[in-house]
Amino acid sequence: MIPLRIKVEANADQPFVVRLRSFEADGREQKTEQLNPFDVALERVGPEGADYVGEGGPIRILGIDPAKVDGDVLLVNPWRGTADRLIRSSSLHNTFLVTERCDQVCLMCSQPPKKHHVDLFTYFETAALLAPEGATIGISGGEPTLFKAQLFELLRRVLDARADLSFHVLTNGQHFEEGDWHAMNLIDRGRVVWGIPLYSRDPAVHDQIVGKEGAHTQLLKNLALLCCLGAQVELRTVLMHPNADGLPSLARFITSRLPFIRTWALMQMENIGFGRMNWKDLFYDSSEGFDVVGRSLDLVRSRGIDAWLYNFPLCTVPEGYRHLAPATISDWKRAYRDECDGCSLKAVCGGFFDWHPANHGYSNLGAIQ
Ligand code: SF4
């Protein structure tokens, strides 16, 4: 798996953000010219690590090839001797986890909430401003809109400063309100997609899945508000036993009541966090029961709304629907199994979450010749 945290040595008393520049050996003056104040340039590589220098002082990274981290933006924690790779320059899957707090307790949550919160928004803003040209940056939690003042401000400032960047924000959609109108109107809505889960047409089923009474009602109210604001909404539905039968009903509801959404994403589960605890009760084997999925996708797409399958291994999807199943699992979470050896679709298939269990899951999968 791709490491998101690396070891560092830095002589500082506070966390800080840097961008690594692993230039080929060339003149020091040229390096200096190309650096901005958050850049550190590779000075020397030795058995003890790779040494970088910049305006903020020296930093050494350990245990990773400097060529693999060129352009990466790190949040360095000098006390712990670690750095989080907030932006990996070669990846399309960079996400800021802005909080671990949440007001829902979803049955399949991959990142179970914690009470503790450390405000790192300033560091995230600096990191976003150092992102490669044209990047889309993910924001997730926890529930990011529990800190919506900081979130809106981060979005506004970064998008104002960098016309090439965009954001994808995962939110439970519970906390938008009319009072946010002004702050949200200052954000370039064309460059922010809000990924919001809706699990069922039936309020009782949705509320039971997210562990919060009244969540469905609040969500529909807030989706209407986002519609009025012209926000781009990617509606997300994780497929599970409790909501699988109701999928066609949800599809009808989307076409009649939520036609303004930009995308409907039907998603397979992730076997981690609460998802692992509840896997046996929740996991829906779509390789056996695809009919309900296919009918729902067909209905929504027939009304001109984009609908996609996220996190579905291609061999578990009937051939006629495979073009709707892009490789969505983040590069650092992605793995392939022994069954994938020799598969002709491997280059375009997203495979499995690294933690997908070998002994429980799809009954029909295997290399496509
Ligand atoms: S065998 Fe592996 S690579 Fe091929 S389609 Fe299935 S999951 Fe994807």
Side-chain angles (χ1 to χ4, degrees), residues 67-206:
K68 291 193 173 144
V69 290
D70 183 27
D72 281 13
V73 182
L74 308 183
L75 173 56
V76 179
N77 188 325
W79 311 308
R80 289 199 192 135
T82 60
D84 294 321
R85 298 168 74 189
L86 295 184
I87 302 275
R88 286 175 297 124
S89 67
S90 59
S91 175
L92 298 174
H93 304 279
N94 289 301
T95 297
F96 299 160
L97 191 139
V98 298
T99 183
E100 294 190 84
R101 276 197 204 151
C102 190
D103 55 311
Q104 294 190 162
V105 203
C106 299
L107 291 175
M108 69 304 167
C109 180
S110 59
Q111 184 86 39
K114 294 183 182 155
K115 287 191 176 147
H116 190 59
H117 171 72
V118 181
D119 188 334
L120 300 175
F121 276 95
T122 311
Y123 299 114
F124 292 131
E125 182 179 330
T126 304
L129 292 171
L130 295 167
E133 177 90 22
T136 297
I137 299 168
I139 292 192
S140 80
E143 174 45 45
T145 61
L146 288 178
F147 301 91
K148 61 186 177 181
Q150 295 96 316
L151 174 67
F152 295 157
E153 192 60 4
L154 179 148
L155 296 174
R156 183 188 68 76
R157 289 160 63 103
V158 172
L159 293 175
D160 281 356
R162 290 277 308 264
D164 58 307
L165 297 184
S166 52
F167 284 95
H168 182 279
V169 185
L170 288 176
T171 167
N172 61 26
Q174 294 292 297
H175 304 284
F176 297 105
E177 54 195 350
E178 286 185 11
D180 299 328
W181 194 276
H182 177 69
M184 288 190 73
N185 258 329
L186 297 175
I187 299 166
D188 183 347
R189 71 197 72 169
R191 290 190 284 143
V192 181
V193 173
W194 302 90
I196 302 179
L198 175 62
Y199 296 111
S200 176
R201 164 71 187 99
D202 182 341
V205 173
H206 178 91

Side-chain angles (χ1 to χ4, degrees), residues 223-246:
L223 284 170
L225 183 65
L226 289 170
C227 170
C228 295
L229 275 165
Q232 301 188 80
V233 174
E234 175 195 65
L235 211 59
R236 300 182 136 218
T237 305
V238 177
L239 179 62
M240 292 170 284
H241 270 299
N243 66 348
D245 287 346

